[in-house]
């Protein structure tokens, strides 16, 4: 049915979005910036880096507020709980830590990963934490008691992306084995495995409002799927032609993807139209190959985008306020044929 609705003649026309532009570059980290998470109050955001620190920055001014050091390898995953005063971090040192933000110190550690931990997510309604890593297992932790509730095993390679939602399937993982798995959290079993991608699924994102669909990205394509069964909806209409490390979606249906080549592409969520292709420039003194984008996230309002890169900087983007549909017209042609792959 999903494909029937998207016959080429009746392809949904994209919504016009203003182009985005970079307005601030923050430097402060001494290594690649690998992860980012926003605070629920939208006052600050945290970034984790290969310099083994987590830094907390003010959203409005971009000033550094705090540096936290307890990891002994690069920090690959960050999440801030919306229900507690906790921040969670995970890194290549196999450590998963829970930080109390009132005392700014580690209050719990979760032990069990056999290798580096690459991604992390906090459940929106339950007190559980999900971490995925190089041991190809997604582990489910009870936040309070530090007990491992489940080890969601089934992937054949590194679990490099995970997100969670309040209703079934509550956990979705993407892996370097190029599959996506939807998990039943009651039994710790796989509900379904999606094998549409040909390359590693390095990032996934769900729409903040349209909770019935999610997108995933790998070096071949950006694809959209339906919940709860994971039916394939459609591909986005362009190919970024690079290894894509990060993606995020805001409430207005703007999706951003960032890749190893330093390209940040902006997409219309509903139609899959790519309306802007930007290229980040590595900061002076970096190699040209260090323009890669490793993490990106919209703030809670969806009006700012923050990208983290291999040139050790954090770049902040916002919409061009002066743009109109006349100055930046939609250049959209409906696809002639629907690619399934």
């Amino acid at each position: 049915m999903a494909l029937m609705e998207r016959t080429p003649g009746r392809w949904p026309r994209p919504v016009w979005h203003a182009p985005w532009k970079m307005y601030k570059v923050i430097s402060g980290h001494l290594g690649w910036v690998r992860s980012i998470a926003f605070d629920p109050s939208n006052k600050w955001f945290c970034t984790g880096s290969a310099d083994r620190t987590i830094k907390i920055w003010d959203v409005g001014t971009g000033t550094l507020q705090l540096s936290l050091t307890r990891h002994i390898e690069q920090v690959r995953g960050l999440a801030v709980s919306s229900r507690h005063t906790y921040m969670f971090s995970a890194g290549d040192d196999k450590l998963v830590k829970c930080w109390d933000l009132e005392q700014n110190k580690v209050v719990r550690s979760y032990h069990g990963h056999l290798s580096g931990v690459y991604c992390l997510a906090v459940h929106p309604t339950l007190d559980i934490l999900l971490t995925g890593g190089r041991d190809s297992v997604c582990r489910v932790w009870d936040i309070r008691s530090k007990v491992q509730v489940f080890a969601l095993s089934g992937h054949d390679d590194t679990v490099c992306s995970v997100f969670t939602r309040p209703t079934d399937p509550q956990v979705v993982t993407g892996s370097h084995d190029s599959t996506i798995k939807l998990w039943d959290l009651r039994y710790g079993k796989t509900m379904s495995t999606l094998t549409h991608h040909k390359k590693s699924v390095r990032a996934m994102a769900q729409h903040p409002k349209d909770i019935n669909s999610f997108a995933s990205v790998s070096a071949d394509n950006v694809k959209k799927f339906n919940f709860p069964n994971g039916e394939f909806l459609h591909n986005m209409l362009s190919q970024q032609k690079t290894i894509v490390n990060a993606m995020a979606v805001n409430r207005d249906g703007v999706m951003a993807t960032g890749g190893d080549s330093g390209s940040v592409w902006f997409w219309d969520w509903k139609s899959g139209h790519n309306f802007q292709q930007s290229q980040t420039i590595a900061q002076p003194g970096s190699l040209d190959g260090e323009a890669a984008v490793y993490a990106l996230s919209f703030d809670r309002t969806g009006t700012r985008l923050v990208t983290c890169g291999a040139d050790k900087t954090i770049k902040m983007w916002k919409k061009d306020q002066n743009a109109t549909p006349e100055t930046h017209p939609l250049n959209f042609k409906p696809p002639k044929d629907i690619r399934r792959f």
Side-chain angles (χ1 to χ4, degrees):
M1 270 307 291
L3 272 168
M4 288 287 289
E5 292 161 17
R6 295 191 171 273
T7 49
R10 291 186 305 195
W11 196 273
R13 184 156 177 78
V15 184
W16 181 84
H17 299 288
W20 290 66
K21 59 180 185 183
M22 194 192 313
Y23 71 95
K24 187 174 285 170
V25 177
I26 307 169
S27 52
H29 276 297
L30 303 174
W32 293 358
V33 190
R34 299 299 307 235
S35 50
I36 179 169
F38 271 87
D39 152 51
S41 72
N42 211 34
K43 290 193 175 71
W44 52 267
F45 65 93
C46 50
T47 54
S49 163
D51 63 9
R52 310 188 292 279
T53 64
I54 299 164
K55 289 186 188 289
I56 292 180
W57 311 85
D58 185 274
V59 168
T61 60
T63 50
L64 179 63
Q65 295 188 330
L66 190 64
S67 288
L68 301 169
T69 57
R70 281 296 293 274
H71 278 280
I72 52 175
E73 269 285 349
Q74 58 179 334
V75 182
R76 285 279 196 131
L78 282 173
V80 184
S81 171
S82 54
R83 302 171 63 234
H84 315 95
T85 57
Y86 290 151
M87 176 176 76
F88 300 92
S89 64
D92 278 356
D93 47 14
K94 312 180 198 171
L95 302 176
V96 180
K97 293 181 183 294
C98 170
W99 302 78
D100 186 329
L101 294 168
E102 289 174 343
Q103 309 168 50
N104 294 334
K105 65 180 190 185
V106 176
V107 289
R108 296 184 186 87
S109 290
Y110 304 89
H111 298 285
H113 273 286
L114 307 175
S115 195
V117 190
Y118 279 22
C119 56
L120 170 146
V122 181
H123 197 285
T125 53
L126 305 173
D127 289 346
I128 58 171
L129 174 70
L130 299 132
T131 56
R134 246 182 72 186
D135 51 9
S136 51
V137 176
C138 175
R139 296 179 193 272
V140 183
W141 309 92
D142 183 312
I143 288 175
R144 191 179 58 84
S145 66
K146 302 181 285 196
V147 171
Q148 181 179 303
V149 186
F150 288 122
L152 307 177
S153 56
H155 282 296
D156 299 333
D157 207 340
T158 305
V159 177
C160 48
S161 49
V162 60
F163 71 87
T164 137
R165 50 198 295 273
T167 52
D168 280 338
Q170 293 182 43
V171 183
V172 182
T173 57
S175 162
H176 281 331
D177 65 10
S178 75
T179 64
I180 298 167
K181 285 185 186 286
L182 281 54
W183 301 88
D184 188 332
L185 203 51
R186 280 172 304 184
Y187 312 114
K189 297 274 192 292
T190 310
M191 288 170 79
S192 54
T193 304
L194 313 179
T195 56
H196 297 73
H197 282 291
K198 301 188 194 69
K199 297 274 194 287
S200 315
V201 184
R202 288 169 185 257
M204 297 185 296
Q206 53 181 341
H207 195 293
K209 286 202 292 199
D210 173 18
I211 54 169
N212 290 324
S213 56
F214 74 99
S216 64
V217 64
S218 84
D220 55 6
N221 254 318
V222 185
K223 296 181 188 292
K224 249 167 74 179
F225 298 93
N226 228 346
F227 282 127
N229 304 321
E231 296 114 355
F232 174 64
L233 290 174
H234 65 99
N235 283 324
M236 295 296 170
L237 304 180
S238 315
Q239 286 172 300
Q240 204 160 340
K241 295 280 196 295
T242 181
I243 293 172
V244 182
N245 295 311
M247 76 188 312
V249 190
N250 73 4
R251 291 176 170 279
D252 303 334
V254 175
M255 181 168 76
T257 55
D260 262 6
S261 61
S263 55
V264 178
W265 283 24
F266 295 89
W267 313 76
D268 174 48
W269 172 265
K270 192 171 172 205
S271 66
H273 171 59
N274 168 226
F275 69 87
Q276 185 186 353
Q277 302 179 4
S278 301
Q279 184 67 33
T280 59
I281 302 161
Q283 74 166 339
S286 308
L287 305 169
D288 290 342
E290 287 186 316
V293 176
Y294 283 127
L296 53 82
S297 175
F298 286 101
D299 71 349
R300 298 287 172 179
T301 60
T303 53
R304 285 188 193 85
L305 173 72
V306 181
T307 62
C308 306
D311 64 349
K312 312 182 184 68
T313 64
I314 298 154
K315 299 182 172 75
M316 300 181 82
W317 306 65
K318 63 181 176 190
K319 282 183 202 160
D320 187 346
Q321 300 294 335
N322 304 322
T324 62
E326 285 70 44
T327 57
H328 294 77
L330 256 182
N331 182 16
F332 174 68
K333 294 187 188 70
K336 290 193 175 59
D337 55 336
I338 297 168
R339 280 183 324 190
R340 291 299 308 264
F341 307 108

